[in-house]
Amino acid sequence: MRPLTGKALARAFFGPRHRGMGKGLLVPVLLFAAVRGAQITLPGPVEAAALCTAFSAGAMVQTLGDRRHLEELEELFLLPMPDRWFALSWGTVLAAHTLLTKTLPLWALLAALCPGRPGELAAALVWSAAACWGCAAGYGLFRRGRWVPVLLWGAGAAAVVLLGSLPVQLAGAAVSAGVAGVCLCRLGPWEFQRLAPARGPRRRRSGGVLGYLFRALSADRRSWLNTAGLWAGACLLPLALAPASGRELLPVSLALCGLNTPAATLFSRDPALAQALVVLPGGGRRFWRGYVGFLAALYGAALVLCLGAWQLAWGAVGLGDLAVVPLLALQGALLAAALERWCPLRGWKTESDLWHHPRKYLVPLALLPLALAGVGRPVVLCLWAGALALQAALFFRTGEGRG
């Protein structure tokens, strides 16, 4: 029964013959090679274990509430298997999927930035796995109403990660993983199912382009959770890296704020919208103006939070750094909108395919050299502002194209 359970769940998440694992490993390898090739290192200490653990726990909680995964869970209820093996296998496969697609890129970045610290990196990876497994068990216990043990368990794990030495961290991770395994064996598969609430008839809403964009982004709560995770990362990354690197990684952190997959794939998620815009005069110029403004507002919020975190961690953010915010926000919005307008993602099966497509890294990679060249250089900022105005004029005056 156990091999049948594991194979069925692994096939649902990684595809036949685990082909999805190879694609998931490609991004961390490329990221590690790019950072090491650029010879960027951090001389000071970095709380790699705390950063990876917090990120993995947040990603695992988001994965547990994923609507697509819950639908797959209902289909797998038809398999003949004991309840304890189902819950254990479900939590293990979800943890492996989260580690492969979410945690490994961050871990590869830290491994490239902090060479010569194998102990800290090993503790970060072990605690990431323990955090994912613990979140799966804690989710089931929380659904049973046992939220007090879950909170105590989380507080104890956070204390070990933040205050413990390396041997204590490794021992704590082993204990936490063991407790999670025992809890998963005692949970049933129905603990992970969430019934959709009954909804009344939908009322017709208005609000123009911005109203549509807000409703489209709010249709799936994972979209706002992903956006909130981006803003949280914009705050936490400077706090973790600034003591070790100073202002050297400020442009890198600003460029990473251009990574917002749900908002940058709204057009690809709605093929009917693409067909509707084709028949509009000017190719839906009003829609694209609203879309660019919407993306610029989201990117600008992330950039402001990032600079605020740098001010708290380093205390040397000036007016020149603030002048970069509107330029980066508008530049990232134009790039993301151009990709959606002329190169939308087609042929996808699930929204997860959209969110994990490698195209999401193009905007941050394009913003990185601009941030490196523009931070603290007024002349470059003026030239950039002129080029940005020209780009906006060409984008909004272009004909229908594909959109």
Side-chain angles (χ1 to χ4, degrees):
M1 289 294 181
R2 280 174 287 178
L4 174 62
T5 309
K7 288 182 179 179
L9 293 173
R11 182 182 180 87
F13 282 91
F14 300 108
R17 299 182 180 180
H18 310 299
R19 294 176 182 175
M21 289 187 176
K23 297 180 180 179
L25 290 173
L26 181 61
V27 173
V29 171
L30 293 178
L31 182 61
F32 179 83
V35 176
R36 287 300 298 269
Q39 296 181 352
I40 301 176
T41 58
L42 298 179
V46 177
E47 295 293 339
L51 190 61
C52 288
T53 303
F55 180 81
S56 302
M60 186 64 181
V61 172
Q62 180 183 357
T63 303
L64 287 166
D66 192 331
R67 182 189 308 171
R68 180 177 65 92
H69 296 160
L70 294 177
E71 293 175 355
E72 294 175 351
L73 179 63
E74 294 179 357
E75 297 176 358
L76 292 171
F77 282 158
L78 301 176
L79 293 176
M81 60 190 70
D83 290 350
R84 57 174 182 170
W85 298 128
F86 191 101
L88 181 62
S89 300
W90 177 254
T92 302
V93 173
L94 274 183
H97 182 266
T98 302
L99 288 172
L100 186 64
T101 59
K102 308 288 180 60
T103 305
L104 273 185
L106 175 62
W107 186 84
L109 177 63
L110 293 176
L113 293 174
C114 307
R117 303 174 190 173
E120 298 178 12
L121 295 173
L125 190 60
V126 171
W127 258 111
S128 298
C132 291
W133 225 20
C135 284
Y139 185 85
L141 293 175
F142 191 85
R143 293 293 304 276
R144 284 188 174 185
R146 300 177 181 177
W147 54 273
V148 175
V150 174
L151 293 179
L152 294 177
W153 184 6
V160 172
V161 173
L162 294 174
L163 304 177
S165 59
L166 181 59
V168 174
Q169 288 182 357
L170 295 176
V175 172
S176 181
V179 173
V182 172
C183 293
L184 286 173
C185 289
R186 296 178 177 273
L187 292 174
W190 299 101
E191 307 293 345
F192 299 94
Q193 188 187 29
R194 185 182 60 205
L195 299 178
R199 297 183 179 180
R202 293 179 177 267
R203 293 183 297 176
R204 190 171 182 178
R205 300 176 180 177
S206 60
V209 176
L210 292 180
Y212 165 79
L213 294 173
F214 273 106
R215 290 194 298 272
L217 199 62
S218 303
D220 188 352
R221 68 170 188 170
R222 294 177 302 155
S223 300
W224 284 116
L225 287 175
N226 195 301
T227 303
L230 165 70
W231 292 344
C235 296
L236 293 177
L237 190 62
L239 295 176
L241 300 181
S245 63
R247 287 177 52 90
E248 294 180 3
L249 290 182
L250 175 60
V252 178
S253 60
L254 293 177
L256 290 177
C257 292
L259 189 65
N260 192 333
T261 308
T265 55
L266 287 178
F267 188 69
S268 298
R269 289 169 58 185
D270 193 353
L273 176 62
Q275 298 176 2
L277 291 180
V278 170
V279 300
L280 292 178
R285 195 174 301 164
R286 181 182 177 187
F287 170 81
W288 292 113
R289 284 198 295 265
Y291 187 48
V292 169
F294 181 71
L295 288 177
L298 292 179
Y299 292 155
L303 290 167
V304 170
L305 291 174
C306 182
L307 285 180
W310 275 100
Q311 177 65 25
L312 293 176
W314 188 251
V317 175
L319 295 178
D321 301 322
L322 292 175
V324 181
V325 171
L327 298 179
L328 275 176
L330 185 56
Q331 183 70 75
L334 283 173
L335 291 175
L339 289 174
E340 283 289 273
R341 186 176 188 180
W342 290 295
C343 301
L345 299 176
R346 295 290 183 254
W348 52 273
K349 297 180 180 179
T350 63
E351 291 184 2
S352 180
D353 298 337
L354 287 175
W355 291 15
H356 295 147
H357 197 278
R359 197 193 74 172
K360 66 181 181 181
Y361 299 105
L362 293 180
V363 174
L365 288 177
L367 294 179
L368 180 57
L370 296 174
L372 289 172
V375 172
R377 296 181 176 90
V379 177
V380 177
L381 292 180
C382 293
L383 295 176
W384 185 7
L388 198 55
L390 180 61
Q391 294 177 42
L394 292 175
F395 179 81
F396 294 125
R397 292 182 179 274
T398 304
E400 293 183 2
R402 291 189 62 178

